[in-house]
């Protein structure tokens, strides 16, 4: 047992720890002691602050075995920001002493301290430390100058209250949907190298701040991405550190976010860089024609080819050019929509319209009506006078339909991703307006290439078999494909809004088809009921709240939790993340062809490997922010983390067993393929 001013020492390669006291004895009538937990961290090892960041644990001390100790409060020196496993954390390295303000139960009486310390230290791995330090301080006088100086030094690093002479006027405001936090402060002296550490309770974690200073460097503006957010705010505190000073205070909460002192100009892209991404987008759009999402589009493309069978080459060329124009116009409208949403401060992702129940309902109704028409349940015909007028227009009579065919094909292709496409879209969504327009135009050109191929060689259409009974069978087959697509859209709607809502939409659509199949009746009255039945499902999904759904953990997959990734990796584990959605057909193909088949299925159940699935069927800010940290705005997205790859190995959109096995081996530094659970 140690006496006088310091305890015995606990030591290992990660940390050397001791309990020190400025007082060598308890003076008469003394009610307090100045203590300190001295932590000398090994090379490369770190310990955490009271708010550790996204992961980690702060040091804690249990004093329950002590005598004559009423309370002991840890004073926390200002932290530093460091990165562990690709995530921002707050803490200390090299050496830190945590000052402790101790209050005695009986003034002037001896003290027996029993400190049960729990400490998490991290380097390439994280190791919890649990040890006991004991220190007896008898009645007496005297100061341990060395310990007192050390305690004083680190006590001077504890943030003070905001003060006009140091740092003052703290404010904080959340952005829309708590996607980010804006913190402001002013200082009498210019800021040098400031950092910002908000504390809003255990459920809130923040990423690295974008800090901007005014021209005189006396006003600070910081934007911090919210990585995880709770429903309620427990505490509101902000610590700002700078060279030689630090403050901690409760900020004044603002209703609106203050503007930055200046705006960043996007870094200009060279012509060669833009050309590279344009080529990637073109190839991605071309490959998109052969992706699983081509199934909904296949029947539309085949129908357009068959429809042009008996026309002249000039007409065929014109109709396919117009179909290609439909694809391109949709991409240009999409570009304009992206720019408008970005202007209003919204985050934009690829395929996110399939998280919108109104869009899904409209798409389902259109597909259901088209499929019923191909099955011959009803025929959509125009008034005879209008048919005569259109017939006299010659080749132009089908151009509007051809344009709609191209646009509709592009719409149905958007929930899928393809090789090269994710990289190109990510570049566009983080670039300049010209980058967005160029990338989406190249993507549309690749997607429209089959139409342009027929336009360039219209004679290919003439080589199709002559019309006959085979066309009736093909028409029914195309109707079946569209019906399957409509059923898939309805299933996606069930995942987004709930299957009760999807069932009501299905019933209303059946009523619409039944009404369209009825012959005769007053035209205007019938048209009114058709409009009513078409609009009713759209109003219904807009009015009904989505049914609540809880993440389901299966035997082989755990629910996505970003904060668990570094914890598992720090313990030597491997984490495989799969971001998927009901509306992502490429994700479904990856699952059926790779993830659920051998050898990957067994690999994902290996000991030491955690398979984590993130369901993005419905909007989820946590998943969106996770994708953004990897520069992605669409899915599928798969990544493997491990001690050998703490920041993750991002896989291609199209998975292969060999790519997954290689990534797991690299991430773990060993093969787990033969391990059993």
């Amino acid at each position: 047992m140690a006496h006088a001013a310091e305890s015995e020492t606990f030591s290992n390669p990660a940390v050397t720890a001791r309990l020190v006291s400025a007082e060598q004895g308890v003076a008469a009538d003394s009610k307090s002691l100045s203590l300190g937990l001295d932590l000398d961290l090994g090379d490369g090892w770190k310990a955490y602050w009271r708010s550790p960041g996204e992961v980690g644990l702060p040091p804690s001390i249990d004093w329950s075995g002590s005598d004559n100790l009423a309370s002991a409060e840890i004073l926390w020196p200002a932290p530093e920001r460091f990165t562990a496993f690709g995530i921002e954390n707050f803490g200390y390295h090299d050496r830190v002493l945590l000052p402790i303000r101790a209050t005695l139960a009986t003034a002037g009486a001896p003290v027996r301290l029993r400190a049960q310390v729990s400490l998490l230290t991290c380097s390439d791995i994280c190791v919890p430390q649990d040890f006991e330090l004991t220190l007896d301080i008898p009645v007496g006088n005297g100061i341990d100058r060395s310990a007192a100086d050390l305690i004083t030094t680190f006590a001077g690093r504890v943030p003070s209250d905001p003060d006009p002479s140091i740092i003052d006027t703290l404010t904080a405001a959340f952005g829309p949907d708590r996607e980010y936090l804006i913190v402001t402060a002013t200082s009498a002296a210019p800021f040098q190298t400031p950092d910002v550490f908000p504390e809003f309770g255990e459920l809130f974690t923040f990423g690295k701040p974008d800090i901007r200073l005014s021209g005189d460097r006396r006003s600070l503006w910081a934007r911090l991405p919210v990585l995880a957010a709770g429903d309620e705010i427990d505490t509101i505190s902000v610590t700002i550190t700078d060279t030689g000073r630090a403050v901690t205070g409760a900020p004044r909460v603002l209703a609106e976010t203050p503007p930055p002192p200046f705006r960043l100009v996007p870094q200009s892209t060279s012509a060669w860089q833009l050309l590279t991404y344009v080529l990637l987008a073109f190839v991605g759009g071309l490959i998109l024609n052969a992706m699983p999402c081509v199934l909904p589009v296949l029947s539309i493309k085949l129908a357009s080819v068959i429809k042009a069978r008996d026309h002249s080459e000039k007409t065929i060329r014109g109709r396919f050019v117009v179909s290609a124009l439909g694809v391109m116009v949709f991409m240009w409208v999409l570009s304009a929509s992206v720019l408008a949403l970005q202007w209003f401060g919204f985050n934009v992702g690829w395929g996110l319209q399939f998280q919108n129940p109104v869009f899904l309902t409209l798409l389902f109704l259109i597909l259901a009506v088209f499929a019923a028409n191909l099955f011959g349940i009803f025929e959509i015909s125009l008034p005879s006078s209008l048919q005569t007028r259109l017939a006299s227009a010659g080749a132009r009579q089908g151009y509007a339909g051809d344009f709609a065919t191209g646009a509709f094909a592009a719409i149905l292709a958007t929930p899928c991703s393809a090789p090269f496409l994710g990289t190109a879209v990510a570049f566009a969504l983080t670039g300049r307006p010209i980058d967005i327009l160029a990338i989406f135009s190249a993507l549309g050109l690749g997607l429209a290439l089959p139409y342009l191929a027929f336009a360039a060689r219209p004679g290919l259409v003439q080589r199709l078999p002559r019309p006959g009974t085979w066309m009736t069978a093909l028409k029914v087959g195309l109707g079946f494909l569209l019906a399957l697509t409509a059923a898939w859209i309805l299933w996606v709607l069930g995942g987004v809004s709930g299957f009760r809502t999807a069932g009501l939409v299905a019933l209303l659509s059946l009523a619409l088809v039944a009404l369209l199949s009825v012959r005769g009746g007053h035209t205007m009255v019938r048209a009114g009921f058709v409009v009513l039945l078409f609009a009713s499902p759209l109003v219904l999904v807009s009015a009904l709240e989505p049914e609540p759904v809880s993440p389901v953990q299966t035997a082989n997959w755990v629910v996505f939790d970003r904060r668990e990734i570094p914890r598992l990796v720090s313990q030597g584990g491997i984490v495989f993340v799969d971001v998927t959605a009901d509306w992502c057909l490429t994700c479904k193909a990856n699952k059926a062809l790779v993830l659920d088949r051998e050898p990957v299925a067994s690999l994902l159940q290996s000991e030491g490997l955690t398979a984590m699935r993130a369901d993005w069927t419905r909007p989820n800010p946590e998943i969106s922010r996770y994708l953004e940290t990897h520069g992605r705005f669409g899915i599928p997205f798969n990544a493997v983390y491990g001690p050998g790859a703490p920041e993750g190995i991002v896989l291609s959109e199209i998975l292969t067993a060999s790519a997954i096995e290689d990534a797991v081996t690299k991430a773990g530094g060993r093969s787990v393929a033969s391990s059993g659970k």
Side-chain angles (χ1 to χ4, degrees):
M1 182 179 296
H3 298 275
E6 70 177 65
S7 69
E8 72 279 6
T9 298
F10 170 83
S11 183
N12 61 29
V15 63
T16 298
R18 62 183 182 135
L19 186 65
V20 300
S21 170
E23 295 85 0
Q24 291 180 324
V26 180
D29 299 326
S30 178
K31 296 182 178 180
S32 64
L33 293 173
S34 295
L35 308 176
L37 177 60
D38 185 17
L39 303 174
D40 190 1
L41 296 159
D43 187 27
W45 289 89
K46 300 175 180 66
Y48 291 96
W49 188 46
R50 65 175 178 233
S51 292
E54 193 168 0
V55 295
L57 292 171
S60 64
I61 305 175
D62 181 2
W63 301 95
S64 58
S66 302
D67 294 334
N68 194 29
L69 182 66
S71 65
E73 178 190 2
I74 297 177
L75 306 179
W76 300 90
E80 295 180 277
R81 183 182 301 273
F82 58 87
T83 301
F85 310 114
I87 294 177
E88 299 291 323
N89 291 286
F90 319 140
Y92 313 101
H93 67 92
D94 295 336
R95 188 179 187 182
V96 64
L97 180 139
L98 302 179
I100 299 168
R101 184 184 296 142
T103 302
L104 306 184
T106 303
V111 179
R112 174 168 291 181
L113 300 174
R114 299 292 182 272
Q116 188 64 44
V117 181
S118 293
L119 176 71
L120 183 65
T121 54
C122 291
S123 179
D124 294 332
I125 61 172
C126 289
V127 179
Q129 314 284 351
D130 291 288
F131 51 88
E132 184 179 78
L133 300 175
T134 62
L135 177 60
D136 285 355
I137 304 178
V139 174
N141 296 304
I143 297 295
D144 185 320
R145 183 55 57 189
S146 175
D149 290 345
L150 190 62
I151 294 172
T152 301
T153 297
F154 281 93
R157 301 179 188 178
V158 175
S160 62
D161 294 331
D163 185 276
S165 63
I166 308 174
I167 298 174
D168 194 24
T169 61
L170 287 171
T171 71
F174 278 109
D177 299 323
R178 291 184 175 177
E179 291 184 359
Y180 57 87
L181 176 74
I182 302 295
V183 173
T184 68
T186 60
S187 170
F191 287 102
Q192 302 299 321
T193 56
D195 206 344
V196 180
F197 304 91
E199 297 175 84
F200 280 62
E202 292 183 359
L203 298 179
F204 283 81
T205 54
F206 301 88
K208 190 172 184 178
D210 169 16
I211 297 176
R212 306 183 196 181
L213 303 177
S214 60
D216 60 4
R217 302 183 70 87
R218 287 181 168 85
S219 295
L220 175 147
W221 180 95
R223 184 183 190 275
L224 299 98
V226 179
L227 302 179
D231 295 329
E232 297 182 0
I233 300 175
D234 297 330
T235 59
I236 301 178
S237 176
V238 173
T239 297
I240 295 182
T241 65
D242 196 17
T243 305
R245 57 179 176 163
V247 299
T248 295
R252 182 164 54 91
V253 178
L254 304 179
E256 297 184 358
T257 57
F262 60 86
R263 298 196 177 274
L264 297 176
V265 178
Q267 184 177 0
S268 60
T269 305
S270 69
W272 284 111
Q273 285 179 308
L274 180 57
L275 179 60
T276 300
Y277 285 105
V278 163
L279 290 175
L280 288 176
F282 174 78
V283 174
L286 182 60
I287 295 176
L288 204 58
N289 285 285
M291 297 296 292
C293 46
V294 80
L295 179 62
V297 185
L298 180 61
S299 59
I300 299 173
K301 289 185 177 180
L302 287 175
S304 65
V305 173
I306 295 169
K307 188 167 57 175
R309 169 67 178 77
D310 294 325
H311 294 145
S312 67
E313 287 194 358
K314 180 180 178 181
T315 302
I316 292 171
R317 179 178 289 109
R319 299 189 70 166
F320 279 110
V321 167
V322 170
S323 292
L325 182 62
V327 175
M328 297 303 299
V329 168
F330 170 76
M331 287 299 170
W332 292 330
V333 170
L334 192 60
S335 302
S337 302
V338 167
L339 291 171
L341 290 171
Q342 288 183 342
W343 175 264
F344 287 107
F346 291 96
N347 288 326
V348 183
W350 179 253
L352 295 191
Q353 68 272 24
F354 280 77
Q355 294 178 342
N356 187 313
V358 175
F359 172 82
L360 291 171
T361 301
L362 178 62
L363 199 56
F364 170 74
L365 289 171
I366 294 173
L367 289 171
V369 170
F370 280 9
N373 181 249
L374 287 173
F375 285 137
I377 297 176
F378 61 86
E379 294 290 338
I380 299 177
S381 59
L382 299 173
S384 56
S385 59
L386 183 56
Q387 290 187 52
T388 302
R389 193 176 306 164
L390 290 175
S392 64
R396 293 175 294 171
Q397 67 178 22
Y399 285 170
D402 294 324
F403 181 88
T405 294
F408 195 52
I411 292 172
L412 284 176
T414 54
C416 291
S417 187
F420 311 114
L421 184 59
T423 302
V425 170
F427 168 78
L429 296 181
T430 56
R432 303 163 299 172
I434 187 64
D435 299 328
I436 293 175
L437 181 60
I439 294 302
F440 279 85
S441 296
L443 171 59
L445 192 61
L447 190 59
L449 194 61
Y451 294 121
L452 295 175
F454 276 108
R457 298 291 299 275
L460 294 175
V461 178
Q462 300 293 344
R463 297 179 185 178
L464 291 173
R466 302 296 303 174
T469 56
W470 68 273
M471 291 189 65
T472 303
L474 181 60
K475 185 179 179 182
V476 173
L478 297 178
F480 182 70
L481 286 176
L482 279 185
L484 283 178
T485 305
W488 168 65
I489 293 293
L490 188 66
W491 180 65
V492 173
L493 178 62
V496 171
S497 290
F499 287 97
R500 182 182 61 183
T501 301
L504 292 173
V505 169
L507 289 175
L508 289 171
S509 66
L510 286 175
L512 174 63
V513 171
L515 179 61
L516 289 171
S517 66
V518 175
R519 304 291 193 276
H522 194 282
T523 303
M524 294 301 296
V525 173
R526 185 166 175 267
F529 277 106
V530 168
V531 172
L532 179 63
L533 281 176
F534 192 89
S536 295
L538 301 174
V539 175
L540 177 72
V541 297
S542 300
L544 292 179
E545 288 289 331
E547 296 174 24
V549 61
S550 300
V552 179
Q553 180 170 323
T554 64
N556 300 333
W557 295 86
V558 302
V559 177
F560 174 77
D561 184 349
R562 188 183 180 202
R563 287 170 290 189
E564 281 291 292
I565 297 174
R567 186 187 68 80
L568 292 168
V569 172
S570 69
Q571 297 173 354
I574 301 171
V575 181
F576 180 90
V577 176
D578 176 37
V579 184
T580 183
D582 288 347
W583 42 265
C584 175
L585 289 177
T586 309
C587 304
K588 299 301 179 185
N590 283 337
K591 184 175 183 292
L593 300 176
V594 180
L595 297 179
D596 288 349
R597 289 190 177 185
E598 298 298 340
V600 175
S602 296
L603 177 64
L604 296 181
Q605 299 180 53
S606 302
E607 184 177 358
L609 192 150
T610 300
M612 193 177 285
R613 178 160 284 162
D615 188 349
W616 207 29
T617 299
R618 297 185 179 187
N620 186 312
E622 182 182 357
I623 297 175
S624 300
R625 286 190 287 264
Y626 168 72
L627 291 172
E628 288 174 20
T629 60
H630 289 279
R632 291 295 184 90
F633 298 87
I635 55 176
F637 178 83
N638 298 92
V640 183
Y641 301 82
E647 296 189 15
I649 300 171
V650 178
L651 301 175
S652 171
E653 289 90 344
I654 308 301
L655 296 178
T656 63
S658 59
I660 294 175
E661 289 176 330
D662 291 344
V664 168
T665 300
K666 182 178 179 181
R670 58 185 176 86
S671 175
V672 297
S674 60
S675 302
K677 209 152 206 176

